[in-house]
Amino acid sequence: ASTRALSAERVRTSETIPSARAPAQATLASTASAMIWTELTALSSFLGWASKADRIPKKPHIWMPEKPAPKDKFISREQARKLIDAAKNQHIRLFIILALQTAGRMGAILDLKWDRIDFTLGRINLHDPERETTSKGRALVPMSDTAQTALLKAQEYALSPYVIEWLGPAAPGNFMVGR
């Protein structure tokens, strides 16, 4: 018999199922384990939806590995400076500064309006009162000197209520404005 036929026969027999997990578990121990966990979670969610929507008769069991520990990755001050300096346009530069200084999500930073920047108290409020509150939440963070300098410069050329402006007439200092 061919190797392929023997392999197919081994997979069909229930006695090989536990041993079939060993290579998968070894793979999960690699750096890709977080991605695999995420993909399996998404698959499980989709199958749950399909079952509830009567697209499939029953949600099959999906073997899930343990959730991997989060990886803490940090960039150095030098790397942060290089990233900021590499920005060709001021709206990108301001976004990078705010992302680094506030640890805010992209959506929170892009939704940020000037009325939530408090220069007097030195705070940036990423919570949008017009947006429904979610479990993720958005922070009220202190404003660093770097962020304050960048924000004051951007405010001079602001043409809208949004802090990050783009695709409008160019102002001095290469600020791309408009929303």
Side-chain angles (χ1 to χ4, degrees), residues 141-161:
V141 295
M143 188 184 317
S144 69
D145 292 341
T146 302
Q148 184 172 20
T149 301
L151 286 165
L152 286 168
K153 185 175 179 184
Q155 192 178 44
E156 289 179 39
Y157 303 106
L159 297 178
S160 80

Side-chain angles (χ1 to χ4, degrees), residues 54-121:
D54 292 326
R55 304 285 179 154
I56 59 175
K58 181 182 173 191
K59 176 186 172 189
H61 171 73
I62 303 292
W63 173 78
M64 295 293 295
E66 279 188 39
K67 185 174 183 179
K71 294 180 181 175
D72 292 331
K73 293 185 178 180
F74 303 97
I75 64 173
S76 68
R77 288 183 187 270
E78 181 182 339
Q79 290 170 322
R81 177 56 42 208
K82 284 181 181 179
L83 182 61
I84 292 167
D85 292 343
K88 302 264 188 254
N89 296 308
Q90 291 300 319
H91 68 286
I92 301 292
R93 182 179 185 280
L94 181 59
F95 177 87
I96 292 168
I97 290 169
L98 291 175
L100 291 171
Q101 300 292 321
T102 66
R105 293 179 180 87
M106 180 176 70
I109 294 169
L110 293 178
D111 289 341
L112 185 61
K113 293 183 179 180
W114 288 110
D115 64 349
R116 290 185 277 129
I117 305 290
D118 188 337
F119 289 107
T120 306
L121 296 176

